Each structure stands twice: as C-alpha cells, then as structure tokens.
Amino acid sequence: MDKSQHLLEIELEKLKLRIESEPEQVLSSAERCATKASQIFYPQGVIRSLIIMSRCYWALMDYRKGLKTIREAYTKLTLVENDDDLPEILHIHALQFWGQAKYYSAQQYWIQSLEKSALVDQVETQIESLIGLGNVWRALGEYELAQSTHELAVKVSNSMCIPWLEGKARILLAWDQYLAGHYIDMLSVLDGAEEVLQHHDDKTWQAEIWDFRGLALLGLKRLDDAEKATQHAQQLVEEHNLMWMKAHSYISRARLELLRQQPAQSAALLRTAEKAAKSFDNGELLSQIYFQQSRVAEEVGDYKVALQTFKQYRRHAGEMLRVQTSREGNDKARTSKRLLELRAKKLIHRIHHQFANDANKQMNKMVSETHWWEQMMLYKMALSSANHSVIVIHHSNQQGIEICAELAHSFCNNNDLLTRLSPNKLGLLLAETASNAEHIHGILKQMLDMYPWQRRGILNDQPRVDLYNILAFPFTLEQLELTEMTETS
C-alpha cells in the first residue's frame, strides 16, 4: 500500500464514524473518495467508498439508491484479490432489502453474510447478521425464533467483548420479550443494555432503553415507575430531537395516562404523536396511534370520533397489509422460504454450539462475562461458607491473552468458570480456597512465566496473575480496575 492509498484509508475510517450523525456530508465526501481511489487505481478504496455511500443512503432511508450503490461495490470485488469486504457488502444488501420490507430477500443476504463472516473471522458482521435475522423473524411474527436469535447475538457479543453490539442486541431482545409479554425479563435485559452502553453516547439507544423500560413497567402495572421511565425517554427525545423516537415516546405516555383514567391528557399526547409520525412514518405507527385514539374516544363516550379514528386505523392497517402482500409477491426469495429458514436455523445452531463449547479448543469452561459475574455474586453471597477464589490474568497483547486463556482453561475442573473480563483481562472463578488456591495460583503463574512468548512474537509483555479471596473481590469490572490502579500507584 503506497502513501496515497494509506491516506485514503485513513480518511475512509474517519468517515465511517460520522455516517449516523452526518449522512449527507459523509455521502458527498465518500463520493469524492471513490473518484480519488479510481484515479490512483485502488479498487479496494473504491469498494470501501461505495460501502460507506450505501450506508449513508440507508441512514437517509433512500433504499433504492443504497441497493444500487452496494450492488456496484459487489461487482467490483472481482478487481481485488481477497474477500475481506464481502460479508459487509452482503450485510448491507440485506439492510437495504429490510428497509424496503422485502424480508425474504433480506433473510437470504443475512444468511450469506453469516456464512462468509465466519470464513474470514469478521465477528462484528456475524453479530449484525444474527441481529438482522432476528428482526426478520419478528417482522414475520416468529417471536420465539426472533428471541432465541437475539439471545445468541447477545451471547456472542458478550463473549467477544463488543459492548455496543451487545447493547443493540439487548434492546431488540427486549422488544421480542415485550411482544411475548415477558415484562420482568425485559427489565433485566434493559438493565444489561444500559450497563454495556454506558460509554457509547448514542441518544437514540438511550431513549429506546427508557421507552421500553416504561412499556415493561406499564405491563406490570407499576404506573409511578413507568411515568419516571417514559418521562426520561421523552426528555431525551426532546433534548436531542430524535424524530424516530418522538412518536414512540408520546404513544407510551398516552398509554400511561389512559391506564390512569386520564383520557383528555392521553388524547392530547396522541395528537402530538400523530403530528410527529406524519413527517416520516409509512403507516405502521400511525395505525397504532389511530387505534389508541379510538380507544380513548370510546372511553369518554365520544363514539363519533371513535368511529372516525377507527376508520383511519383500518385504512392505514389495510394499506400496510396490501403493500406488504404486494412486496412479498414481488420478493424473488419468497419461493425458497422454507429452504432459507432451514439454512438459517442450521447456521444459528452451529454458532450457538461454537460459543457454548468450542469443539476445536475444548474451551467448555469459558463462559460469557455476564454469566461469570452472576455466578461470582452467588458464591460471594455464601459469606463464611464461600468456597471459591478468583484469579485474574492480565496481558496487554491480544494473542497473548488468548494463549493465557488456553493455559488457564487447562487448570479448570467441573466447578470452575473462565471468562474474558475485558480485552486484556481474564477471570478464573476457582472452586478452591486458602492454600489450595495459592498452590494453583503459584503453578499457573510459573507456567505463564516459563512460556516461550518470544516464539509467538511477543517479546516485551509478560502476563500478570493476581489471586483474590472471593469475599474481597470487587462487585464490578470498574471497581476491579480502580482497585488495581490504587495498588499500582
């Protein structure tokens, strides 16, 4: 890669970070990058510029242009010697079809993306594809399949320490649970989403978390708590002008007021929601709003308004059904629906098995970070009868931490648990205490000290191994890191 190509790659990486916040400006910049890449005969640069352009069209909801652009990127793959960009290109194809409500075509491309991302080890695209497949199944009314797929996306992103994707998957999992009426589970999942997204400043996701939390609390009839949650969601929406969430937040507030026997306030909120939804919605939200307005009017005995709004609800719902039926009829992938579903299930089963028990490395004691912390808290609560210790292994090198994981796993018996606490930290929950734990800690430390790191290209970094009494072990990763900073200073 020469200097001009390297500078172009740096520019493209910077543009990626601004796609969601400034899609129009990024689109024009990406077009210039594509021209520049073509002029310096750098086809990989052209492909990556087209990928960014298609993502911008997705953000601008111009799905036809987005599909045309990503197809152009796909045709140019023959000009490069690798398939590194293929999984993402397939994923973006699926996104554009999803935007057009062509669910079977979207499903087809997400399945292909899932397959290809596994071959080139692109975990982020793999998780995005799982999330997409879950969304397709939810849209098609397959709520159990949607929930199990989003649960797998949460598990994979947690295992691979990708917090922003875990948060995204958790929000969508909460949606699945809301449709299934599992309100208590929703609250737990949303708490986890809030925790993993605390360093990711996406106001839309924050508003969604609070809005779904409010809906869960409404389902549980905890009206005071629901009011606080929906108010917080609405505050975020108003402060940051989140158009997509504005109508949602007002609908949730209207449902709350209706449950409180305040139909006048509910009606006023629904009128605001209707005004917000008309600026962007294709009928899905408006049909919900008109249905709620009909209920409110019926509640106060205004049957004329109830009939009018119910007719509007039926008109929008009927139009949506007509459009969806038409799109399904035009969706070429619909004919192979059964085969697509079987293929998707096989892939998901394989990924689930892979992360439950890695057959190649037999890392069956390696668990998700969430599960590890939950078990640690349970053992800690045993207090004086606690029979576990914690060993924390640090290594600043990515390859080094994987080697440490393999060595630490070889020490595990049936009652031990190992996890990746952070990109450079492992946690071993050891079913030993006192001298037995110290003995294992000493042997593990000695093995890691003796390991020929230089043969793996790791010259300077040496792992650090710390032993903790489980009762003295911190409650969170942040507390652990703070304790370590205090000890080293």
Side-chain angles (χ1 to χ4, degrees):
M1 187 183 290
D2 62 29
K3 186 178 179 182
S4 57
Q5 293 174 351
H6 180 65
L7 289 172
L8 184 66
E9 285 290 343
I10 292 171
E11 189 173 353
L12 290 173
E13 286 299 320
K14 289 179 180 176
L15 288 178
K16 278 184 186 178
L17 302 173
R18 295 166 46 213
I19 291 171
E20 291 183 12
S21 58
E22 306 170 49
E24 290 180 349
Q25 295 90 324
V26 171
L27 178 60
S28 59
S29 299
E31 286 172 345
R32 288 195 294 272
C33 286
T35 305
K36 191 188 300 182
S38 183
Q39 289 169 348
I40 62 175
F41 305 105
Y42 183 40
Q44 192 104 46
V46 176
I47 291 167
R48 287 174 181 169
S49 300
L50 290 168
I51 287 172
I52 291 173
M53 288 165 61
S54 186
R55 283 192 178 274
C56 290
Y57 283 126
W58 158 257
L60 294 166
M61 293 190 281
D62 192 342
Y63 307 120
R64 290 186 181 277
K65 283 187 180 178
L67 192 56
K68 182 182 177 183
T69 306
I70 203 63
R71 280 175 173 161
E72 186 181 350
Y74 181 76
T75 59
K76 292 186 182 296
L77 282 174
T78 55
L79 303 174
V80 296
E81 297 177 352
N82 60 67
D83 285 341
D84 291 351
D85 295 311
L86 179 57
E88 187 178 6
I89 287 172
L90 293 168
H91 165 59
I92 297 170
H93 269 87
L95 280 178
Q96 306 297 351
F97 280 120
W98 167 257
Q100 295 177 59
K102 293 182 178 179
Y103 300 130
Y104 300 112
S105 289
Q107 185 182 46
Q108 185 178 45
Y109 275 97
W110 268 318
I111 289 168
Q112 291 180 48
S113 175
L114 204 56
E115 290 173 331
K116 300 299 181 185
S117 59
L119 291 175
V120 294
D121 199 26
Q122 291 187 7
V123 181
E124 286 193 8
T125 306
Q126 191 177 59
I127 297 166
E128 289 273 28
S129 301
L130 284 171
I131 289 171
L133 284 170
N135 287 342
V136 167
W137 274 317
R138 187 189 64 247
L140 296 173
E142 300 277 1
Y143 299 137
E144 285 187 16
L145 275 173
Q147 185 170 330
S148 62
T149 307
H150 285 143
E151 282 173 350
L152 180 57
V154 169
K155 184 173 187 178
V156 176
S157 49
N158 182 281
S159 297
M160 302 307 293
C161 291
I162 310 175
W164 69 273
L165 273 177
E166 183 183 348
K168 181 178 179 179
R170 280 178 174 275
I171 290 168
L172 292 164
L173 175 58
W175 191 350
D176 302 331
Q177 290 171 334
Y178 175 70
L179 293 170
H182 300 157
Y183 305 125
I184 294 174
D185 293 338
M186 269 182 81
L187 293 174
S188 176
V189 166
L190 290 168
D191 286 345
E194 188 174 37
E195 184 179 343
V196 296
L197 291 174
Q198 59 184 324
H199 302 302
H200 192 83
D201 192 29
D202 189 311
K203 301 302 180 186
T204 301
W205 283 351
Q206 290 176 25
E208 283 180 331
I209 288 169
W210 282 101
D211 189 58
F212 276 129
R213 187 175 278 147
L215 289 175
L217 293 165
L218 280 175
L220 294 169
K221 308 298 183 194
R222 290 167 53 184
L223 302 189
D224 291 340
D225 292 331
E227 182 176 21
K228 291 175 186 175
T230 53
Q231 275 184 344
H232 194 76
Q234 193 175 341
Q235 186 180 348
L236 285 167
V237 164
E238 296 293 344
E239 281 181 12
H240 303 282
N241 194 28
L242 307 175
M243 288 303 298
W244 175 251
M245 280 300 299
K246 189 169 283 188
H248 283 280
S249 67
Y250 281 116
I251 292 170
S252 299
R253 296 277 301 154
R255 284 174 176 163
L256 171 65
E257 295 302 336
L258 189 59
L259 283 172
R260 284 185 156 173
Q261 304 297 316
Q262 298 289 337
Q265 292 182 33
S266 181
L269 288 163
L270 286 169
R271 284 193 294 273
T272 310
E274 180 186 357
K275 186 178 177 183
K278 279 181 176 177
S279 63
F280 68 87
D281 186 56
N282 60 359
E284 183 180 359
L285 265 180
L286 282 169
S287 64
Q288 287 184 44
I289 291 165
Y290 289 131
F291 182 73
Q292 289 293 326
Q293 285 179 339
S294 176
R295 283 186 61 198
V296 170
E298 191 177 359
E299 193 82 20
V300 296
D302 193 342
Y303 299 112
K304 185 178 179 181
V305 172
L307 179 61
Q308 288 174 349
T309 51
F310 189 76
K311 282 181 178 178
Q312 287 180 299
Y313 156 70
R314 287 296 301 271
R315 181 170 64 83
H316 281 280
E319 179 64 18
M320 280 178 58
L321 186 61
R322 187 190 66 76
V323 170
Q324 187 174 335
T325 305
S326 171
R327 283 171 172 169
E328 282 189 15
N330 294 329
D331 194 336
K332 293 176 184 177
R334 186 174 184 266
T335 54
S336 56
K337 176 189 171 187
R338 178 71 179 158
L339 290 173
L340 280 174
E341 194 168 294
L342 286 172
R343 199 162 139 212
K345 285 178 180 177
K346 282 181 180 178
L347 271 171
I348 288 167
H349 179 73
R350 191 175 74 192
I351 295 167
H352 191 279
H353 182 72
Q354 176 190 342
F355 280 87
N357 180 8
D358 191 325
N360 296 323
K361 296 180 182 177
Q362 288 299 308
M363 300 276 278
N364 58 337
K365 305 314 292 182
M366 178 71 89
V367 298
S368 72
E369 183 189 352
T370 304
H371 179 69
W372 190 92
W373 282 104
E374 286 172 354
Q375 293 302 307
M376 192 279 294
M377 290 298 295
L378 285 174
Y379 296 142
K380 187 191 271 281
M381 286 166 64
L383 298 177
S384 60
S385 57
N387 56 358
H388 282 72
S389 301
V390 179
I391 293 176
V392 178
I393 304 168
H394 310 255
H395 203 296
S396 58
N397 183 282
Q398 179 73 18
Q399 187 186 10
I401 203 74
E402 290 174 4
I403 294 166
C404 290
E406 291 179 39
L407 288 171
H409 193 273
S410 65
F411 280 70
C412 293
N413 67 14
N414 291 335
N415 299 316
D416 301 329
L417 294 174
L418 182 67
T419 196
R420 192 85 168 260
L421 293 173
S422 73
N424 60 355
K425 207 182 267 81
L426 293 168
L428 173 58
L429 200 51
L430 192 68
E432 300 286 356
T433 56
S435 59
N436 288 341
E438 289 173 8
H439 179 64
I440 291 171
H441 169 256
I443 295 173
L444 180 57
K445 186 176 184 305
Q446 192 175 5
M447 280 184 67
L448 291 170
D449 288 341
M450 291 171 64
Y451 190 86
W453 297 104
Q454 66 281 359
R455 295 198 66 197
R456 304 297 290 270
I458 304 169
L459 303 177
N460 301 320
D461 298 326
Q462 288 293 315
R464 192 176 92 236
V465 188
D466 298 324
L467 175 66
Y468 293 86
N469 182 310
I470 196 166
L471 297 179
F473 191 72
F475 289 89
T476 65
L477 179 61
E478 290 74 18
Q479 289 178 2
L480 174 62
E481 290 173 344
L482 189 62
T483 303
E484 290 170 349
M485 286 173 60
T486 307
E487 288 174 353
T488 53
S489 61

